[in-house]
Amino acid sequence: MTLRISRLSILLVALLAACGDARSGAQDEASESGTERMVERLAQIAAGIDRQQNPFAASAQVEALVARGPEPGVAGGMSFRGQHALMLSYAGRFQEATDSMQSLLDAIDAAGQEGSAEFRKAVAERQAITLLKWEEQLDCVEAREVDRCLLPVMGIEGRPADAPGREAARAFERLLKADPENEGHRWLLNIAYMLLGEYPAGVPAQWLIEPGTFTSENELGRFPNRAADVGLDAQGHAGGAIMDDFDRDGDLDVMVSGWLLDDQVQYFENDGLGGFIERTDQAGLRGIVGGLNLRHADFDNDGFLDVLVLRGAWLPYGQPNSLLRNGGDGTFEDVTEAAGLLDPYSTQTADWADYDGDGWLDLYVGNESSPSRRNPNQLFRNNKDGTFSDVAMAVGADLVGFTKGVAWGDYDNDGDPDLYVSRMGQPNVLLTNEGPTAGGGWSFRDVTSEAGVAEPEMSFPVWFWDYDNDGWLDLYASAYFAGIEDVAAEYLGIPHAGEVPRLYRNNRDGTFTDVAVETGVDRIQYVMGSNYGDVDSDGYPDFYVGTGDPGFEATMPNRMFRNDAGQRFQEVTTSGGFGHFQKGHGVSFGDVDSDGDQDIMVNMGGALPADLSRNLLFENPGQGHHWVTLRLEGVTSNRDALGARVRVTLDMGDRTEEIHKRVSAGGSFGANSLQLEIGLGVAVGIREIAITWPTTGGADRYLDVEVDRVYRVVEGAAELEPLTVPAFTLGSAR
């Protein structure tokens, strides 16, 4: 059993499992609120779920194995013991798992059966990985020692003689003696010595990965993790993350979720003094559980940001999403049922846009289909009265597949948003918005082939962005297939079999060219959550990817790439302190401390109980560049001004340059702040800000704008409105 095979086995079980009906047992009472009904519905679903259907529910799998017992015969007994030990490790019961694996190894050796060599190797490999994961949990997660989770871990105090990482190192050395060319084992051996505080000196020379291998291509400056300092380092499973001003007090708040139906959605209010206060209960969110992803927008145009919780991804049973309406008084109300969005599909991806230009935001939801159940994607048209109607079939947007990412973007600059859909295991799809039909309907057309954007088939998050600042939206399509052996090979500069992303540059004629190789994006980015923002405030978008597959053995760094003036992306993972090797999911860029530069919130944690981790908040140390922040408000256009185009003409002293931005939440796994936080690089001033609004296409122009300020921008207003938003130091109030 190789690392690749063992990793894929758990994934395929999840992909092929049949979905159940999430409607069962839900009873609506007219006297109950929408939130109360959803809480009851979710509780009923959780109570009625056979958790043994969930391949990641390791504790339930342990119980099922014990209840079923081994198959007859010696081979059946050995297989049972191996499966039982494996599930114990997935459940985070590390001591039991390693002891059980050692007992099994002793039994295999004592039996001396012909043909057992491969089985023994697989068990030994699993034991080594379990010991390493145990050390990871003790050393960096439970101890909250984030520096021990950042690749390469160096210069730390050593661990005791009985640390599980020490036995892990010995176990990987034994595996490498038997298979010296296994780059995955070499990679994990080096990490084991890092966690012991004995890297690089303690690593056997023939298997050492030199520290210089991890050197960044640009010295960005260290982004310290301040999550513990401000009260945001909650521990949990994979989930979503949002940073935005939900209470409209001028600073950015945080909302996070976890993917299992016992994972509480959490709301943290920014106190404006350097910390966050959890307001989950006060916000009326207790019992709103689950959600691999979160997306936000002001769907009812009342001036307060609402939240969509997306549920059921990867799971063999359906779950309803939740639309949480912001009451404007610090509370949220679940209006899913009343809005017409109560469907028992499995999903984790959606995006908001005003596709028909009526000034109200519509919603596209990407659902997961399986061989046993067809769940077409949905396009919900906003009825302007708090309800939605699914028009996907009528407009030609009812795509079917294992949908993992959706993104709206006006790639052809014709004034209406187009749609890109990532379907894992199938070609991706680009639908161009053709507008109203002669019969009074609406139409989208599949232009994937002519545009040249079908790859990669094993993709996950996607987004539109103008990476080269030419005023035309380009397209990033992530890759979702690689192993630790591939990661190691890439760092070592040797060939690998891992999938790499595509960066499609807009040719301005309806077609795209993949420039991933020439821009340096062709790196292994086993992308889970991800997003883009401008971390060095130079006006060009950079991007952060949360990495790691659902499999237990995945130990690979989350990665950051800096955009070098639209020409090439530089790896800055190490210099920025971003290389956390726990699994990364929802990613959100935003100016959380109101100092003008973008910070990064990351929801950490995997699908398995053994992969629990703590959320991160990377504080931007500042880059010495000017900036401007714009808070756009639509009047005829949607209130958030989603889809608005902004052109900033910079005064460079001896010339002018342009920066192009669009109002968007960014990538499809995670959600950025909707205010435009625009870095100006080395510009000395702003000559002009031009805004093209999404519904009317009207343009507002503002000349000689003062830098390093926050402005409210109302559609059609003659002047910008300066806002006073005091900066503060993270952690200063705690």
Side-chain angles (χ1 to χ4, degrees), residues 43 205 268 358 368 417 710 727:
F268 298 90
D358 65 354
E368 297 178 350
V710 180

Side-chain angles (χ1 to χ4, degrees), residues 151-152 187 212-221 487 490-492 501 519-526 535-536 542-545 547 556-564 568-580:
L151 200 70
W187 176 266
T213 304
F214 305 100
T215 302
S216 290
E217 298 165 314
N218 184 281
E219 290 300 317
L220 183 63
V487 174
E490 184 193 88
Y491 273 92
L492 292 166
T519 59
V521 174
D522 61 330
R523 320 281 185 96
I524 290 179
Q525 302 162 21
Y526 200 130
V535 294
D536 58 354
D542 319 296
F543 70 102
Y544 177 103
V545 294
T547 61
M556 56 186 74
N558 297 272
R559 305 179 78 172
M560 173 66 81
F561 296 90
R562 175 188 177 267
N563 188 337
D564 186 13
R568 188 168 179 83
F569 286 85
Q570 303 167 334
E571 170 95 47
V572 292
T573 301
T574 301
S575 67
F578 297 110
H580 202 292

Side-chain angles (χ1 to χ4, degrees), residues 141 225 227 232-243 254-260 263-268 289-295 309-310 348 526-531 544-548 558 578 580-589 599-608 611-618 669-672:
V141 178
N225 173 37
L232 289 177
D233 67 333
Q235 185 174 4
H237 293 100
I242 306 172
M243 280 198 290
V254 169
M255 190 174 290
V256 295
S257 64
W259 85 306
L260 294 178
D263 292 333
Q264 174 65 51
V265 170
Q266 296 175 285
Y267 174 55
F268 298 90
V289 294
L292 187 57
N293 197 7
L294 301 170
R295 303 293 288 182
V309 182
L310 294 155
Q348 59 108 93
Y526 200 130
V527 182
M528 304 289 280
S530 58
N531 221 320
Y544 177 103
V545 294
T547 61
N558 297 272
F578 297 110
H580 202 292
F581 50 73
Q582 304 300 306
K583 295 177 173 63
H585 290 84
V587 178
S588 181
F589 286 74
D599 313 291
I600 308 170
M601 177 76 193
V602 188
N603 189 319
M604 301 292 293
L608 294 164
D611 274 330
L612 292 173
S613 191
R614 296 188 182 278
N615 297 334
L616 308 173
L617 177 64
F618 291 112
F669 199 162
N672 293 341

Side-chain angles (χ1 to χ4, degrees), residues 279-302:
R279 298 289 194 194
T280 303
D281 290 339
Q282 296 90 331
L285 295 173
R286 183 61 56 186
I288 299 297
V289 294
L292 187 57
N293 197 7
L294 301 170
R295 303 293 288 182
H296 68 305
D298 183 4
F299 81 89
D300 53 3
N301 282 338
D302 68 348

Side-chain angles (χ1 to χ4, degrees), residues 2-116:
T2 67
L3 291 176
R4 189 179 299 280
I5 292 172
S6 63
R7 181 176 63 256
L8 286 177
S9 62
I10 192 171
L11 180 59
L12 290 173
V13 171
L15 294 177
L16 298 176
C19 297
D21 190 348
R23 299 179 193 264
S24 61
Q27 301 293 324
D28 293 342
E29 298 290 339
S31 62
E32 292 180 315
S33 70
T35 298
E36 290 171 329
R37 289 196 296 274
M38 180 58 75
V39 169
E40 289 179 4
R41 182 176 287 108
L42 295 174
Q44 290 172 356
I45 293 171
I49 284 173
D50 179 4
R51 294 181 181 262
Q52 295 174 22
Q53 294 183 59
N54 181 352
F56 302 101
S59 296
Q61 300 296 330
V62 171
E63 294 174 3
L65 279 168
V66 172
R68 187 168 64 246
E71 298 292 328
V74 175
M78 292 286 190
S79 177
F80 171 82
R81 292 173 65 179
Q83 293 176 28
H84 184 252
L86 182 63
M87 288 301 157
L88 286 172
S89 67
Y90 289 173
R93 296 159 63 174
F94 298 114
Q95 183 72 70
E96 295 175 73
T98 55
D99 289 348
S100 181
M101 290 174 185
Q102 185 58 54
S103 175
L104 179 56
L105 289 171
D106 294 340
I108 294 171
D109 293 340
Q113 288 188 313
E114 187 177 348
S116 64

Side-chain angles (χ1 to χ4, degrees), residues 245 250-251 629-633 675 710-713 723 725:
D245 187 7
D251 47 40
T629 295
L630 305 178
R631 298 179 178 175
L632 275 63
E633 292 184 15
Q675 65 181 19
V710 180
Y711 297 95
R712 178 172 176 249
V713 191
L723 300 176
V725 184

Side-chain angles (χ1 to χ4, degrees), residues 264-279:
Q264 174 65 51
V265 170
Q266 296 175 285
Y267 174 55
F268 298 90
E269 181 184 285
N270 192 329
D271 65 10
L273 300 172
F276 287 81
I277 304 169
E278 186 175 355
R279 298 289 194 194

